[in-house]
Amino acid sequence: MALLVSNSFNGVESVPKDYVMPPERRAGDFVRVCNEIPVINLVSDRREIVQQILKACQEFGLFQVINHGVPDKMMEDMMALYDEFFNLPVEDKLGVYAEKPRKGCTLYTSGLEYAKEDVHYWKDTLKHPCHPIDEHSPSWPDKPARYREEVERYMIEVRKMGFKILDLIAEALDLREGYFNEVSQEHTMAINRYPPCPDPSLAMGIAGHHDPNLVTFLQQDIYGLQILKDGKWMGVDPIPNAFVVNLGYQLEVISNGRLKSVEHRGILNSTTSRTSIVTFFGPNPELPIIVEPAKELVTSSNPQMFKAYRYNEFIANYLALAYSRRQGSHKGFALESYRL
């Protein structure tokens, strides 16, 4: 059994050698928090919201939203729920534990496959599908006892918010309302736990990567998220009860390159556990879904940038690249074979 970082390394005074990253994989020097990342109020003027979203998606591939409809108390309750979950004894989590990611509900440590990694990430992850809820919730953890009830309520509200934001993105691109519904039917949660690390300069939470899906919604309360912009890493300041909206590869393709996916990573600190609650919206890889640039966005002055492909084949290619590099840092290469 691979060690769960959140249970095994409390109070250690040095980073175990198989968690010490080679110098080229470390976070490096001090990274400033970027104050220019847009924070968008979803109850302001709609035309202004659409313009702000378009600009953010083109310049950063990421923005934060407030007044999004998910109740503050619900978000706070979710953070408390996952604090309790990750602090459970190991034996109470064995029912969902595996040494590598798998279909269904899985608790695993580090990266894509623990046994094949030459060095491990300082994190644990609980990941499970969420839609349809009735189909997937029986596989979710049974401890804490309130887990399924609270996560069901949360996912209902996050889905409402997610589709609202996707419609705003569609409007920004002059696409019809509901355009992204077909390619955003799979909703998966990944809850990452980054315990305090005795020397954050030596270890990593997760290396730089792009998300392969359509769009990602991230709830965080402690600093640790960084994005790569213009060749430099910048920090994303946590805003209480806000969601970070992070564009994935599929939005870059469907927008025919008008929008950008963003490379991002997770760093560590020495004093406090950090939890990120992540919800992925994207195509269902079990279905024969074709992804391609929206025909409305392909013109003589803006020719087609990407060829059409099956999403399940894209995911297989993405994961193969990640496994081959062991540390999951894709750095944009997953899209290269699909460019025209």
Side-chain angles (χ1 to χ4, degrees):
M1 170 180 171
L3 298 172
L4 286 171
V5 181
S6 51
N7 288 92
S8 302
F9 297 139
N10 287 331
V12 296
E13 295 182 358
S14 61
V15 179
K17 63 179 181 179
D18 52 345
Y19 288 82
V20 175
M21 289 285 166
E24 66 274 13
R25 296 184 187 174
R26 299 174 192 171
D29 296 333
F30 174 78
V31 173
R32 74 177 181 90
V33 172
C34 180
N35 296 320
E36 294 82 35
I37 294 174
V39 179
I40 299 174
N41 184 347
L42 292 186
V43 297
S44 56
D45 177 75
R46 185 178 181 90
R47 183 176 300 178
E48 182 179 349
I49 293 171
V50 170
Q51 292 173 346
Q52 290 174 342
I53 285 178
L54 179 60
K55 184 178 180 181
C57 291
Q58 291 175 329
E59 292 187 6
F60 292 92
L62 175 145
F63 54 94
Q64 300 201 62
V65 291
I66 58 174
N67 293 321
H68 39 65
V70 182
D72 292 354
K73 178 64 163 54
M74 179 177 289
M75 297 179 72
E76 293 161 4
D77 287 346
M78 288 293 288
M79 280 293 179
L81 175 72
Y82 286 114
D83 274 344
E84 186 172 339
F85 173 82
F86 284 104
N87 284 318
L88 288 170
V90 170
E91 54 269 24
D92 288 337
K93 296 181 281 194
L94 288 179
V96 292
Y97 177 81
E99 291 200 0
K100 61 182 179 180
R102 62 187 178 190
K103 292 182 180 179
C105 184
T106 312
L107 172 66
Y108 60 97
T109 197
S110 189
L112 291 163
E113 191 165 352
Y114 187 92
K116 293 184 178 181
E117 294 171 355
D118 53 353
V119 63
H120 308 304
Y121 294 132
W122 193 267
K123 77 176 179 71
D124 297 323
T125 299
L126 175 68
K127 188 172 185 178
H128 59 66
C130 296
H131 182 73
I133 287 177
D134 291 344
E135 177 181 332
H136 295 296
S137 62
S139 71
W140 297 351
D142 53 15
K143 291 182 180 181
R146 66 188 188 281
Y147 186 96
R148 295 173 187 176
E149 179 183 355
E150 289 197 7
V151 175
E152 281 187 22
R153 290 201 303 265
Y154 179 80
M155 275 307 304
I156 289 170
E157 297 304 321
V158 170
R159 276 171 52 81
K160 290 178 186 176
M161 175 193 69
F163 283 120
K164 177 180 179 180
I165 291 173
L166 283 170
D167 277 341
L168 291 166
I169 293 174
E171 187 173 337
L173 294 169
D174 294 320
L175 299 173
R176 60 176 171 78
E177 183 177 355
Y179 186 91
F180 292 110
N181 288 2
E182 183 180 351
V183 288
S184 57
Q185 287 303 310
E186 181 176 77
H187 305 144
T188 300
M189 288 182 67
I191 303 88
N192 299 306
R193 180 73 161 193
Y194 306 93
C197 178
D199 189 346
S201 70
L202 297 179
M204 281 293 292
I206 189 167
H209 64 285
H210 293 250
D211 289 344
N213 54 300
L214 188 74
V215 65
T216 301
F217 304 99
L218 180 146
Q219 178 185 340
Q220 60 172 349
D221 60 353
I222 293 172
Y223 173 67
L225 175 65
Q226 296 180 345
I227 64 170
L228 188 66
K229 186 177 188 300
D230 301 326
K232 296 181 179 180
W233 288 103
M234 299 180 175
V236 180
D237 193 19
I239 297 174
N241 300 316
F243 279 91
V244 177
V245 183
N246 170 16
L247 274 58
Y249 275 142
Q250 307 315 307
L251 260 176
E252 184 169 342
V253 171
I254 294 171
S255 71
N256 200 34
R258 284 187 64 186
L259 310 182
K260 60 180 287 187
S261 62
V262 62
E263 185 172 349
H264 55 287
R265 68 184 185 184
I267 63 165
L268 305 165
N269 71 76
S270 61
T271 58
T272 309
S273 288
R274 175 176 178 260
T275 302
S276 64
I277 303 173
V278 186
T279 306
F280 301 100
F281 278 38
N284 186 341
E286 302 297 323
L287 300 177
I289 294 175
I290 302 294
V291 178
E292 60 185 333
K295 292 179 172 55
E296 298 90 332
L297 303 180
V298 177
T299 64
S300 58
S301 60
N302 189 31
Q304 186 169 336
M305 292 181 60
F306 302 95
K307 61 186 178 182
Y309 54 83
R310 291 186 181 275
Y311 181 68
N312 58 349
E313 294 174 358
F314 177 91
I315 287 295
N317 182 40
Y318 176 94
L319 292 176
L321 283 171
Y323 276 99
S324 69
R325 300 176 69 169
R326 295 286 180 91
Q327 299 301 317
S329 179
H330 312 285
K331 296 188 181 300
F333 295 156
L335 275 188
E336 294 310 307
S337 61
Y338 300 95
R339 292 187 187 275
L340 294 175

